[in-house]
């Protein structure tokens, strides 16, 4: 497996895990999604929005937009305050927007080539060193998006467990691989 194929596989896993997390959250009320926890972004809802926002802004950076902001990423901002931005307020809306983002990611990932992985991509930081522009290798950003998603996914699964969800979502890469093997045999 070459470096591009490996990165594409990691993103395939990220997308699959996201879909499983969202499916596990479907039966939950907004009150349950907003329940406060001492981990992650403080609630399942805010953690999901944070994951979506990270994937949104990093794809924008990879496509050349240095200072993109995702809808709902800054909860203290009033709706519509920045370039028509409005927060995501319902799970079904988040699912729809994430599906659109997934398609944009898939299109981007299908164009990756090994020569571009060392290119420097610029992003204005919205967290540490706020408002300072940094350059990072494309490959590091692609890896970061996956490791960030995996880290936050683990936090959400922990919150789901604490919420007494009886069937936790499958999120491990090996489970995806086994599932694909079974599907090929059928």
């Amino acid at each position: 497996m070459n470096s591009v194929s490996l990165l594409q596989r990691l993103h395939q896993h990220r997308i699959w895990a996201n879909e499983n997390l969202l499916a596990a959250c479907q039966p939950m009320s907004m009150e349950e999604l907003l329940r406060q926890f001492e981990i992650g972004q403080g609630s399942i809802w805010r953690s999901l929005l944070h994951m979506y926002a990270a994937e949104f802004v990093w794809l924008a950076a990879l496509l050349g937009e240095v200072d993109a902001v995702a809808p709902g990423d800054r909860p203290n901002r009033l709706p519509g305050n920045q370039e028509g931005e409005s927060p995501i307020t319902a799970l079904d809306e988040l699912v729809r927007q994430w599906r659109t983002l997934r398609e944009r990611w898939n299109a981007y990932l299908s164009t990756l080539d090994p020569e571009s992985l060392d290119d420097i991509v610029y992003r204005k930081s919205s967290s540490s060193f706020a408002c300072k522009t940094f350059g990072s290798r494309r490959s590091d950003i692609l890896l970061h998006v996956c490791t960030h998603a995996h880290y936050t996914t683990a936090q959400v699964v922990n919150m789901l467990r604490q919420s007494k969800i009886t069937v936790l979502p499958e999120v491990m890469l090996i489970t995806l691989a086994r599932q694909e093997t079974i599907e090929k045999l059928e």
Side-chain angles (χ1 to χ4, degrees):
M1 183 178 283
N2 64 42
S3 56
V4 168
S5 295
L6 183 58
L7 287 166
Q8 290 168 332
R9 179 65 169 168
L10 289 171
H11 282 272
Q12 178 190 12
H13 169 251
R14 172 187 58 77
I15 290 166
W16 174 82
N18 287 350
E19 290 169 357
N20 289 346
L21 278 182
L22 291 168
C25 293
Q26 286 292 334
M28 300 178 79
S29 68
M30 187 52 80
E31 182 179 329
E32 291 170 311
L33 293 171
L34 290 169
R35 177 181 165 199
Q36 293 297 297
F37 294 94
E38 294 296 322
I39 57 175
Q41 299 297 310
S43 72
I44 293 169
W45 178 248
R46 287 181 55 107
S47 296
L48 291 172
L49 284 179
H50 178 72
M51 289 172 67
Y52 169 81
E55 293 175 20
F56 183 97
V57 299
W58 281 115
L59 179 59
L62 290 164
L63 295 170
E65 191 175 342
V66 176
D67 59 356
V69 176
D73 187 33
R74 300 207 178 131
N76 296 330
R77 188 179 305 134
L78 295 172
N81 275 4
Q82 183 172 334
E83 300 173 24
E85 177 189 359
S86 62
I88 300 169
T89 59
L91 186 60
D92 61 339
E93 181 183 359
L94 178 60
V95 168
R96 279 193 307 277
Q97 290 200 34
W98 222 327
R99 283 184 185 143
T100 300
L101 183 59
R102 174 190 67 205
E103 296 309 314
R104 291 180 56 222
W105 265 105
N106 284 336
Y108 173 79
L109 292 166
S110 71
T111 66
L112 273 182
D113 62 82
E115 294 76 34
S116 70
L117 295 179
D118 286 326
D119 291 349
I120 301 299
V121 173
Y122 294 93
R123 166 94 183 113
K124 188 179 287 186
S125 179
S126 59
S127 56
S128 56
F129 306 104
C131 297
K132 185 173 180 184
T133 301
F134 289 92
S136 304
R137 286 186 316 184
R138 184 177 311 277
S139 58
D140 288 334
I141 292 169
L142 290 164
L143 288 168
H144 169 70
V145 169
C146 291
T147 58
H148 177 271
H150 194 72
Y151 177 80
T152 309
T153 293
Q155 293 173 332
V156 172
V157 169
N158 192 355
M159 288 183 246
L160 290 168
R161 181 178 288 112
Q162 291 179 47
S163 297
K164 309 291 189 235
I165 298 298
T166 55
V167 179
L168 295 173
E170 295 289 350
V171 296
M172 300 300 289
L173 181 107
I174 197 66
T175 305
L176 169 62
R178 290 172 180 161
Q179 181 181 24
E180 291 170 336
T181 300
I182 290 168
E183 290 170 2
K184 284 181 184 178
L185 294 174
E186 293 177 345

